[in-house]
């Protein structure tokens, strides 16, 4: 169970022969991800860690029935790779690549909408359903199967929080990064909808940051839909001054829009507990989801 | 990346959008020479990369060449929001009938470009949007269609124009959209776009911010990013950018280095929560090399404002031993001139810790504990 990816996900790695693609293919294989093939134009025919490499995604879909792609292709060519995957019929595209121009991302999202494709990223650490599948670059050992769904706008901060939850006995159903760019495929409302339907998920953690308004939208959704599962939020960037980009292209306060105060207030008004510091999240989950511990005791549950 | 007004106007003029006649000058004498080729009255405009220069006195008007010289000398000696004025744009002053606004930017939640027009130009468009939303017209641009001629006509029509004048304005808006996409604009504005006394339209001011990630497609501007006098970045920020570090200077007393934007932001917040004040944001990114760690530490150790340096590393792609090597090199080369608090966990943690512990450097493993300690050291 979990959302978007599970043990049946058949993965193609685009950009598999590059340094990052090669390295993370090995880690994903170690984790147990079903990687059926890789693609690097011009390198078709070789093998990487035993995985066959092709020139086009079309071949991979025909021969290996791949249904998800993870992209490590450099930014100037990443949009082409994403379009190729979508046109070949891939339904889940995870774009790890950083620094993709906004204009290219807008085109990717429009194409995805037309074909009903789920895009995660760009500029995301990827997605992991502990015990089942990992399409990403996150260190696997800090995650553990369980009932907490995590959606996040950042990478290492997610690791910080997931590691803390795992240490405190709170496993995760699925954990993924929306991506640090201004234009990304999924938002928090999408995540909430999917986690709501997932029977393994009994609580949701949203890790937000300054910039944009996905946190405010999520708060509104939670309030109006009377969201049935417990939600705990964290918002990074309380100390960020307006007009300065805090690392992520998407993390910028413009005028009054996108401040941490606005997001925290929106969550609190919707009845969502907002953690002051990362370690508070586990405290809130323990208090508000007594079931979480019980679920851990039940062991694997799929 | 922000372009100067004169750069943005040159781009607009090349694509056929009317702009005021004028030219750039770097000295009062040059300004006078430029003005001698123009018709009075004149506008003298400071070229700086920050908004709000009008309010700061960076735009002056002149009726004679002598006044141009005087105004230019005044503006060229100014500092606007801490930035030196390196040049002035001398233009013929336009006879204004009405000030309009037209801009194109990104709509994050709709995942598309949005064209924004207003009949109230020359002021902060965000203020207009909140005070008089009825004066704002928006078109969300479907990426598969683009901004078509009929969109331009719709907007010109809503702005109250008809007949030939409507077509003339629509033509300008259409060309403007082309400039926006061709230059990978994150934001592009004509504010004000002026309806002149004789019924024409002129872009009296122009702003263009190019998406940093698209700069590889616009190399002529990218080169300028690192030249000291032509960017809004501080010396340290340029130094960090060259080393591939994301660095933002703030005004507190605790220097902060971390990996990953979200984690660094959360670290800043934690320091503030425990009573300190962050001196900066510094993200070494994913998979930082020893050299990047050295450069990051050097920036903060030489920053007079930062009394303590807090290094917070959670290794995923980043390797703790590589970070430790960087820290040890700095210790050897220049010594720690101020207290350094280190939190180091994740990939190759044991090796990294061993290296630092052997050199007598204490390593912590909780971010919150480390943040508290950093503040205690102040």
């Amino acid at each position: 169970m979990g959302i978007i990816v599970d043990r049946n996900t058949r993965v193609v790695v685009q950009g598999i022969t590059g340094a990052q693609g090669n390295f993370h293919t090995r880690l994903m294989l170690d984790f147990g991800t079903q990687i059926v093939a890789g693609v690097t134009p011009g390198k078709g025919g070789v093998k990487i860690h035993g995985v066959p490499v092709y020139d086009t995604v079309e071949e991979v879909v025909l021969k290996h029935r791949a249904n998800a792609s993870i992209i490590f292709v450099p930014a100037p060519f990443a949009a082409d790779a994403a379009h190729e995957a979508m046109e070949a019929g891939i339904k889940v595209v995870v774009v790890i690549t950083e620094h993709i121009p906004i204009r290219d991302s807008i085109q990717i999202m429009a194409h995805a909408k037309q074909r009903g494709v789920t895009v995660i990223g760009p500029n995301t650490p990827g997605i992991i359903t502990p015990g089942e599948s990992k399409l990403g670059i996150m260190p696997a050992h800090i995650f553990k199967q369980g009932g907490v769904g995590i959606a996040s706008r950042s990478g290492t901060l997610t690791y910080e929080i997931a590691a803390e939850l795992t240490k405190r006995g709170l496993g995760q159903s699925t954990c993924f990064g929306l991506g640090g760019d201004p234009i990304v495929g999924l938002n928090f409302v999408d995540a909430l909808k999917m986690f709501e339907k997932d029977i393994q998920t009994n609580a949701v953690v949203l890790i937000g940051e300054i910039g944009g308004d996905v946190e405010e939208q999520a708060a509104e959704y939670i309030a109006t839909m009377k969201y049935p599962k417990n939600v705990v939020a964290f918002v990074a960037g309380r100390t960020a001054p307006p007009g300065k980009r805090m690392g992520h292209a998407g993390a910028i306060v413009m005028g009054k829009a996108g401040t941490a105060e606005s997001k925290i207030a929106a969550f609190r008004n919707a009845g969502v507990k907002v953690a002051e510091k990362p370690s508070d999240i586990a405290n809130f989950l323990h208090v508000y989801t007594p079931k979480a511990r019980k679920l851990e005791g039940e062991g694997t549950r799929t | 990346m922000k372009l100067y007004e004169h750069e943005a106007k040159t781009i607009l003029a090349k694509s056929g959008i009317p702009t005021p006649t004028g030219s750039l000058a770097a000295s009062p004498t040059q300004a006078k020479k430029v003005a001698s080729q123009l018709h009075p009255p004149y506008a003298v405009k400071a070229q700086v990369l920050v908004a709000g220069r009008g309010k700061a006195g960076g735009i002056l008007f002149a009726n004679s060449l002598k006044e141009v010289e005087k105004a230019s000398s005044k503006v060229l000696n100014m500092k606007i929001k801490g930035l030196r004025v390196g040049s002035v744009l001398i233009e013929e002053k336009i006879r204004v009938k009405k000030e309009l606004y037209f801009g194109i930017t990104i709509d994050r939640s709709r995942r598309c470009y949005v064209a924004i027009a207003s009949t109230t130009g020359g002021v902060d468009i965000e203020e207009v949007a909140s005070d008089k939303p009825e004066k704002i017209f928006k078109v969300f641009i479907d990426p598969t269609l683009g901004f078509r001629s009929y969109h331009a006509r719709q907007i010109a029509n809503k702005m109250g124009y008809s007949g030939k004048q409507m077509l003339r304005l629509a033509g300008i808006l259409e060309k403007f959209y082309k400039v926006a996409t061709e230059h990978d604009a994150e934001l592009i504005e004509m504010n004000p776009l002026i309806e002149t006394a004789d019924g024409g339209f002129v872009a009296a001011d122009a702003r263009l911010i190019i998406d940093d990630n698209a700069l590889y497609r616009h190399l002529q501007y990218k080169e300028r990013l690192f030249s000291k006098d032509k960017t809004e970045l501080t010396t340290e920020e340029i130094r960090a950018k060259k080393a591939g570090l994301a660095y933002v200077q703030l005004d507190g007393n605790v220097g902060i280095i971390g990996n990953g934007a979200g984690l660094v932001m959360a670290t800043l917040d934690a320091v503030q929560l425990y009573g300190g004040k962050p001196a900066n944001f510094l993200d070494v990114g994913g998979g930082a090399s020893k050299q990047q760690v050295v450069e990051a530490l050097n920036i903060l150790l030489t920053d007079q404002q930062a009394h303590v340096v807090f290094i917070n590393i959670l290794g995923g792609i980043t390797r703790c031993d590589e970070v430790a090597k960087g820290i040890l090199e700095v210790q050897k080369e220049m010594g720690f001139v101020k207290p350094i608090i280190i939190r180091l966990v994740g990939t190759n943690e044991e090796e990294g810790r061993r290296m630092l512990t052997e050199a007598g450097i204490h390593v912590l493993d909780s971010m919150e504990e480390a943040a508290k300690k950093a503040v205690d050291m102040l």
Side-chain angles (χ1 to χ4, degrees):
Chain A
M1 281 306 291
I3 63 167
I4 306 173
V5 299
D6 58 28
R7 63 178 84 254
N8 300 316
T9 305
R10 300 172 62 81
V11 183
V12 53
V13 179
Q14 290 180 261
I16 192 169
T17 56
Q20 291 292 332
N22 182 325
F23 179 68
H24 286 288
T25 296
R26 184 171 60 76
L27 295 183
M28 287 187 283
L29 286 168
D30 289 349
F31 178 82
T33 303
Q34 261 201 79
I35 297 180
V36 297
V39 167
T40 296
K43 299 259 174 80
V46 303
K47 282 198 170 185
I48 299 279
H49 310 300
V51 175
V53 178
Y54 294 84
D55 286 319
T56 67
V57 180
E58 193 183 25
E59 289 172 274
V60 173
V61 171
L62 279 172
K63 290 183 185 151
H64 299 278
R65 291 178 295 114
N67 55 15
S69 165
I70 178 164
I71 295 177
F72 290 98
V73 174
F77 317 105
D80 187 63
H83 289 300
E84 182 186 1
M86 291 190 276
E87 199 165 314
I90 299 279
K91 290 298 174 201
V92 173
V93 177
V94 179
V95 188
I96 303 295
T97 309
E98 209 179 336
H99 302 307
I100 297 178
I102 294 173
R103 179 152 62 97
D104 297 7
S105 293
I106 287 176
Q107 294 293 341
I108 293 173
M109 302 318 157
H111 189 180
K113 195 173 164 192
Q114 259 177 22
R115 291 185 186 267
V117 174
T118 301
V119 177
I120 299 178
N123 191 10
T124 173
I127 179 164
I128 182 168
T129 298
E132 302 205 24
S133 193
K134 166 180 130 164
L135 280 74
I137 59 173
M138 60 286 271
H141 68 273
I142 59 169
F143 298 91
K144 177 185 167 181
Q145 207 164 30
V148 182
I150 304 179
S152 171
R153 285 180 62 194
S154 97
T156 41
L157 180 58
T158 315
Y159 310 162
E160 178 83 42
I161 290 166
E164 175 80 14
L165 294 187
T166 299
K167 207 165 83 187
R168 308 266 292 265
L170 293 156
Q172 305 89 36
S173 53
T174 294
C175 176
F176 74 100
L178 306 181
D181 285 357
I183 303 285
V184 291
L186 293 180
N187 57 37
F188 283 140
V189 173
D190 299 323
L192 286 166
K193 285 180 185 166
M194 289 186 276
F195 281 130
E196 183 179 348
K197 285 190 206 134
D198 176 45
I199 53 161
Q200 188 186 336
T201 304
N202 54 28
V204 180
V205 174
L206 301 179
I207 306 170
E209 65 186 27
I210 53 161
D213 62 353
V214 288
E215 292 82 2
E216 286 87 342
Q217 286 172 18
E220 197 189 326
Y221 179 81
I222 291 163
T224 52
M225 303 305 286
K226 299 192 170 54
Y227 196 69
K229 298 186 180 181
N230 295 308
V231 183
V232 176
F234 181 81
V235 179
R238 293 168 194 237
T239 45
K244 294 277 186 185
R245 246 169 247 267
M246 303 308 259
H248 287 157
I252 183 165
V253 175
M254 305 277 255
K256 283 175 201 142
T259 61
E261 295 81 66
S262 144
K263 294 166 190 301
I264 292 168
F267 276 132
R268 292 210 166 125
N269 288 338
V272 174
K273 281 272 169 187
V274 182
E276 290 266 316
K277 46 190 196 297
S279 63
D280 288 345
I281 294 171
N283 300 339
F284 288 148
L285 287 171
H286 272 306
V287 174
Y288 290 91
T289 63
K291 273 191 216 153
R293 272 182 176 164
K294 216 178 115 206
L295 187 80
E296 288 303 315
E298 287 169 14
T300 334
R301 178 166 179 276
T302 50
Chain B
M1 176 185 187
K2 291 176 186 163
L3 295 197
Y4 285 104
E5 177 194 9
H6 69 89
E7 291 175 311
K9 278 182 168 167
T10 306
I11 293 170
L12 294 186
K14 263 189 203 156
S15 60
I17 295 169
T19 54
T21 317
S23 198
L24 202 62
S27 68
T29 327
Q30 206 185 348
K32 196 175 159 190
K33 204 174 149 201
V34 167
S36 67
Q37 309 291 315
L38 308 173
H39 299 290
Y42 313 99
V44 176
K45 306 175 84 179
Q47 297 299 289
V48 277
L49 294 169
V50 288
R53 70 186 162 160
K55 277 182 198 158
I59 300 175
L60 298 175
F61 298 103
N63 289 309
S64 66
L65 296 179
K66 206 165 175 118
E67 279 180 36
V68 167
E69 198 175 4
K70 216 174 129 195
S72 302
S73 141
K74 199 171 166 191
V75 172
L76 283 165
N77 280 314
M78 281 175 79
K79 266 196 167 184
I80 298 179
K81 294 186 183 169
L83 290 179
R84 201 176 64 83
V85 179
S87 58
V88 285
L89 182 61
I90 313 296
E91 289 180 334
E92 286 179 9
K93 198 179 166 202
I94 307 161
R95 287 169 59 221
V96 180
K97 186 173 172 201
K98 199 168 182 189
E99 294 195 321
L100 314 169
Y101 173 94
F102 189 68
I104 293 170
T105 186
I106 314 288
D107 188 283
R108 294 170 64 149
S109 49
R110 287 182 174 81
R111 301 179 182 99
C112 66
Y113 287 101
V114 56
I116 303 167
S118 174
T119 46
T120 310
V123 289
D124 187 352
I125 197 66
E126 279 179 22
E127 274 170 31
V128 181
S130 65
D131 299 346
K132 300 174 194 155
E134 73 282 357
K135 299 256 187 194
I136 298 261
F137 312 110
K138 281 187 182 182
V139 171
F140 298 101
I141 303 167
D142 180 338
T144 53
L145 279 177
F147 184 78
R148 300 288 177 122
S149 308
Y150 67 84
H151 291 129
R153 293 195 297 270
Q154 270 171 9
I155 288 185
N157 178 275
K158 280 185 187 156
M159 289 171 95
Y161 296 97
S162 60
K164 279 202 175 127
Q165 211 186 3
M166 182 273 289
L167 291 176
R168 194 188 286 173
L169 177 58
I172 290 173
L173 304 188
E174 224 184 316
K175 283 175 190 149
F176 192 71
Y177 171 73
K178 214 168 155 242
V179 171
T181 52
E182 280 174 2
H183 290 80
D184 282 288
E186 204 172 288
L187 172 73
I188 181 165
E189 287 178 336
M190 298 185 276
N191 189 22
L193 167 65
I194 284 181
E195 182 193 350
T196 56
D198 59 3
F201 298 94
V202 177
D205 194 1
R207 242 178 114 193
L208 172 54
I209 303 178
I210 298 178
D211 172 9
D212 284 344
N213 287 342
L215 280 175
Y216 71 90
R217 301 201 272 237
H218 310 281
L219 294 175
Q220 70 274 36
Y221 301 110
K222 191 180 180 177
E223 283 168 16
R224 206 195 66 204
L225 206 56
F226 296 134
S227 74
K228 201 173 168 306
D229 284 339
K230 293 180 174 168
T231 130
E232 74 270 40
L233 304 175
T234 65
T235 319
E236 287 78 19
E237 283 170 346
I238 294 171
R239 190 171 158 193
K241 226 178 175 109
K242 277 186 185 159
L245 309 166
Y247 174 75
V248 177
Q249 213 162 352
L250 303 169
D251 55 4
N253 45 16
V254 180
I256 293 164
I257 297 174
N259 64 321
L263 183 67
V264 181
M265 270 188 270
T267 310
L268 264 60
D269 296 351
V271 163
Q272 180 138 316
L273 191 68
Y274 292 119
K277 211 160 181 279
N280 68 285
F281 168 100
L282 201 164
D283 175 11
V284 295
S289 66
K290 179 184 94 178
Q291 208 39 54
Q292 282 175 306
V293 174
V294 169
E295 191 64 14
L297 252 176
N298 281 338
I299 291 172
L300 294 201
L301 287 176
T302 49
D303 178 359
Q304 300 299 324
Q305 267 198 93
H307 299 311
V308 177
V309 176
F310 174 16
I311 304 176
N312 183 17
I313 300 289
L314 195 162
I317 318 179
T318 307
R319 285 169 31 208
C320 293
D321 55 327
E322 189 76 13
V323 173
K325 274 184 210 159
I327 295 172
L328 290 176
E329 182 168 315
V330 173
Q331 189 196 30
K332 209 174 94 192
E333 300 275 305
M334 62 184 281
F336 295 156
V337 291
K338 50 185 92 164
I340 297 189
I341 308 298
I342 300 168
R343 185 264 184 145
L344 191 64
V345 296
T347 310
N348 293 359
E349 177 182 331
E350 297 75 22
E351 177 66 7
R353 271 174 170 270
R354 190 189 55 75
M355 289 163 64
L356 293 177
T357 314
E358 279 174 8
I361 303 169
H362 186 57
V363 181
L364 298 169
D365 51 26
S366 147
M367 158 174 162
E368 286 158 26
E369 187 196 341
K372 233 182 266 173
K373 187 144 183 227
V375 175
D376 287 345
M377 300 294 277
L378 285 173

